[in-house]
Amino acid sequence: MTEQTDGPLRAPAQTTSRRRGVRQLLAASVGNAVEWYDWYAYSFLSAYFARQIFPAAAGQPLIPLLNTFAVFAVGFFMRPLGGLLLGSVADRIGRRGALTCTILLMGGGSLLMAVLPTYAQAGLLAPVLLVLARLIQGLSIGGEFAASTTFLVESAPPGRRGFFAGFQYVSTTIGQLLASGLTALLAVLLTADDMNGWGWRIPFAVGAVIALVGFWIRRAAEETHPAQAGLAAGRRPPLLEALRRYPRQSLLIGAVTVAGTVAYYTWTTYFPTYAQVNDGFPAADALLAGTIALTFFAVIQPLGGMLSDRYGRRPLLLVFAGGFAIGVVPLLGLIGSSWVTLLLVQCAGMVLLTGYTSIAAALNAELFPGHVRAAGIGFPYSLTVALFGGTAPYLATWLSAAGHPTWFPYYVAVLALFGFVVYWRLPETAHRPLDPGAGGRPL
């Protein structure tokens, strides 16, 4: 009798589990895509609105672009605060509440940029409001990574954390694709004067509207925080408990992130601008190549996550860091020959980069116990991204303006070599159970 009833009972349970997993992935991914669309729209549109907000200096045409990338970096320095504050919200009241909060902040920042006055209209108020909008978005995106990372990994069934974590960068890349694709489409449909004059506002307005859609979807998500979901009797941790009780894990997240964030922002965000500034590619051609490469990047993320579930996180990280340490200088040296070469170089870098991006969420979440997981990830991760990832476009542009464009690839290679050493000594976490408790155990 037992054998006759086990099958029918097990099948509905498996179906329910699969449906729950799909719902959780959609709730995390759709909202995350909206968040990152709003965040990345700035970088793709900066070349168009730079002169509207910052006046050009005589004989220095790169000054407005440098200023917009400086604001790009300023937004990054709000991310540690967002990771700490909103990560703490996720640990204290639940992941879902933090995720709905982050998307509202991001939509508000995007709306402010859509209606931003120009320097000619408002003088210094224009760049001040631009900085304010970017600070709001920086606060949001810092909390977004912390909350969505924990939400995705905690939603995963046993043995599938890497696969679920891969969707963190699938949705991130979809948001980036939407921003890049819409910018490229507008660049084709509008004249240069229209794009520089008012066309750049359209993607920001779209971002504000779709943020409301993401907010609605996230409200229906199922809570994954152990205490808030009723799975454990938890307590509300103090704001700095993760840093105080788990300093080694906090430092480890920073060390793991350095190479990954510089490579990521170089290859997925700054690459079109690098091709324009250093190799003379037209903006539309560079954006088109970037859009195709990002599509390829999104497709291969779950594959990287599945490989890490089977073989571990360390092998993929070592391939990523070793490949960039050896290959970044020759790869960036090749992009000037043709558009096809530009595309192939960017896709080759995307394959290597997947060794980091597809498993970053899983690895980070596996280092902390559940009661401080979001804040524990959010602050050290976002601080490292601010110091290294957020400054990468500005540093590369500054070196080009100073007459040293070839120095930046060596900077990336050195940080990748540092990452290789860190990953070599990293403990393997792929097959450990995810710690949901309030005590936790140091690595």
Side-chain angles (χ1 to χ4, degrees):
M1 292 296 292
T2 302
E3 291 182 0
Q4 292 176 352
T5 58
D6 277 353
L9 288 173
R10 189 181 299 114
Q14 291 173 344
T15 300
T16 301
S17 178
R18 278 197 296 269
R19 288 176 178 172
R20 174 189 176 275
V22 171
R23 285 198 306 268
Q24 294 293 87
L25 279 176
L26 285 175
S29 299
V30 172
N32 198 48
V34 172
E35 280 268 338
W36 289 95
Y37 164 88
D38 286 340
W39 177 257
Y40 280 118
Y42 181 99
S43 61
F44 289 117
L45 294 163
S46 59
Y48 296 104
F49 69 78
R51 292 179 182 272
Q52 296 285 317
I53 308 301
F54 298 101
Q60 296 291 335
L62 284 179
I63 292 298
L65 186 60
L66 278 170
N67 286 332
T68 54
F69 278 133
V71 177
F72 182 78
V74 166
F76 272 83
F77 281 93
M78 282 297 287
R79 290 179 61 165
L81 182 60
L84 182 62
L85 294 180
L86 294 173
S88 181
V89 169
D91 287 332
R92 291 169 67 85
I93 69 170
R95 319 308 189 201
R96 185 175 60 183
L99 288 171
T100 54
C101 181
T102 60
I103 203 164
L104 288 178
L105 286 171
M106 181 62 73
S110 191
L111 178 62
L112 179 55
M113 283 194 279
V115 299
L116 196 69
T118 66
Y119 188 87
Q121 294 169 334
L124 289 175
L125 182 62
V128 168
L129 289 176
L130 177 64
V131 170
L132 175 62
R134 204 58 183 167
L135 291 177
I136 293 171
Q137 290 192 322
L139 186 73
S140 169
I141 211 69
E144 170 68 20
F145 185 86
S148 63
T149 291
T150 54
F151 179 84
L152 268 175
V153 177
E154 289 170 353
S155 296
R160 305 280 279 176
R161 294 198 301 261
F163 175 72
F164 267 55
F167 282 88
Q168 174 77 20
Y169 277 92
V170 171
S171 55
T172 296
T173 306
I174 288 173
Q176 195 170 357
L177 275 171
L178 291 173
S180 173
L182 182 55
T183 303
L185 178 64
L186 290 172
V188 171
L189 296 179
L190 300 178
T191 65
D193 287 342
D194 286 342
M195 192 65 188
N196 291 324
W198 54 268
W200 59 268
R201 298 180 185 274
I202 295 175
F204 290 126
V206 170
V209 172
I210 62 176
L212 295 177
V213 177
F215 171 77
W216 177 76
I217 292 172
R218 283 187 163 178
R219 290 186 64 192
E222 179 182 326
E223 182 57 65
T224 64
H225 189 289
Q228 300 301 325
L231 302 178
R235 62 186 178 85
R236 294 188 172 185
L239 182 64
L240 299 177
E241 179 163 352
L243 292 173
R244 181 178 60 83
R245 292 194 60 192
Y246 304 97
R248 184 171 183 270
Q249 285 91 327
S250 298
L251 290 173
L252 188 56
I253 282 185
V256 165
T257 304
V258 168
T261 189
V262 171
Y264 177 78
Y265 281 99
T266 298
W267 230 256
T268 68
T269 303
Y270 183 69
F271 201 93
T273 304
Y274 185 92
Q276 294 172 56
V277 172
N278 294 288
D279 295 280
F281 276 93
D285 289 349
L287 286 170
L288 177 60
T291 300
I292 296 172
L294 282 170
T295 304
F296 170 71
F297 181 65
V299 169
I300 63 177
Q301 295 307 296
L303 176 61
M306 287 189 291
L307 288 173
S308 78
D309 282 334
R310 180 162 185 168
Y311 300 108
R313 318 296 186 215
R314 288 179 67 246
L316 273 73
L317 290 168
L318 290 171
V319 169
F320 149 68
F324 263 89
I326 296 171
V328 65
V329 173
L331 282 174
L332 289 179
L334 289 173
I335 66 175
S337 56
S338 69
W339 181 86
V340 173
T341 303
L342 173 68
L343 176 61
L344 291 176
V345 166
Q346 195 164 7
C347 287
M350 296 299 194
V351 172
L352 294 174
L353 186 58
T354 296
Y356 167 79
T357 54
S358 65
I359 61 175
L363 176 63
N364 289 343
E366 288 161 354
L367 296 178
F368 283 94
H371 74 296
V372 293
R373 183 168 291 132
I377 293 170
F379 181 75
Y381 173 84
S382 296
L383 180 61
T384 307
V385 171
L387 292 173
F388 293 92
T391 57
Y394 182 86
L395 177 62
T397 304
W398 181 81
L399 288 172
S400 294
H404 305 291
T406 60
W407 288 12
F408 183 72
Y410 286 98
Y411 168 75
V412 178
V414 169
L415 292 182
L417 182 61
F418 168 78
F420 187 89
V421 175
V422 172
Y423 304 147
W424 184 266
R425 298 176 58 85
L426 190 70
E428 183 58 69
T429 59
H431 308 300
R432 295 181 180 181
L434 195 65
D435 184 355
R441 58 181 184 278
L443 288 172

